[in-house]
Amino acid sequence: MSTTQSDRLRGLVEPLVHARDLDLEEIEVSRAGRRGLLRIVVDSDEGVELDACAELSRAISEKLDETDAMGEGEYVLEVSSPGADRPLTEHRHYVRATGRLAKLQLSTDGAAEELVARILAVDEDGLDLEVPGVKGRKPTARRVAFADIVKARVEIEFNRKDKKEEEA
């Protein structure tokens, strides 16, 4: 997708997304056979429900029909929330992952390290983590600066208690 088309689509879509108190995470245009594919990913601190994606999809579709931003050919529009395995790249991603287990690739003083830990708190400079204990040992606390994080991704936990469950 050209930068001009990307900027134009972002300019059309972003106000519709923000009007629904959502964050625009990604816009991707690609080809799917003879059709174009416009994929829009949105998120919020509370997550995104299917009804919100459907409502936003209708609003975006109407807006795109009023313009030629997608050109003359046919296209498919997908509006969704990010998958559970999406990379953590923005400060808000880490805030939303508080309480979750994350896999971090770190580079501290040129040394590479991989770490799986629970995100306990997030501030402007980095993360407070709880590193699970190994072989019966107690978990340990660790501080990691954002500058040391090369890659980060939430780890899927199938037996993790939901926040709502814990409060009950």
Side-chain angles (χ1 to χ4, degrees), residues 64-137:
L64 292 175
D65 287 347
E66 296 171 4
T67 71
D68 64 348
M70 286 300 295
E72 294 298 317
E74 294 180 18
Y75 67 93
V76 175
L77 172 62
E78 288 182 9
V79 176
S80 66
S81 62
D85 63 343
R86 70 118 179 250
L88 303 175
T89 57
E90 302 284 335
H91 185 269
R92 68 178 178 266
H93 298 164
Y94 290 97
V95 171
R96 291 174 185 159
T98 300
R100 306 283 307 266
L101 203 59
K103 185 176 192 176
L104 306 156
Q105 289 182 0
L106 306 174
S107 178
T108 314
D109 299 325
E113 176 187 2
E114 192 167 277
L115 175 67
V116 176
R118 188 162 312 279
I119 300 172
L120 298 178
V122 180
D123 61 30
E124 296 304 314
D125 300 317
L127 310 172
D128 289 327
L129 304 172
E130 179 184 73
V131 181
V134 180
K135 296 182 181 178
R137 293 189 179 133

Side-chain angles (χ1 to χ4, degrees), residues 5 28-38 70 73-75:
Q5 184 184 28
E28 178 187 333
V29 177
S30 60
R31 299 292 316 158
R34 287 186 273 159
R35 293 181 179 173
L37 173 62
L38 174 57
M70 286 300 295
E74 294 180 18
Y75 67 93

Side-chain angles (χ1 to χ4, degrees), residues 34-51:
R34 287 186 273 159
R35 293 181 179 173
L37 173 62
L38 174 57
R39 182 173 289 126
I40 297 172
V41 179
V42 296
D43 202 4
S44 79
D45 289 343
E46 294 79 36
V48 181
E49 294 189 7
L50 185 59
D51 289 343

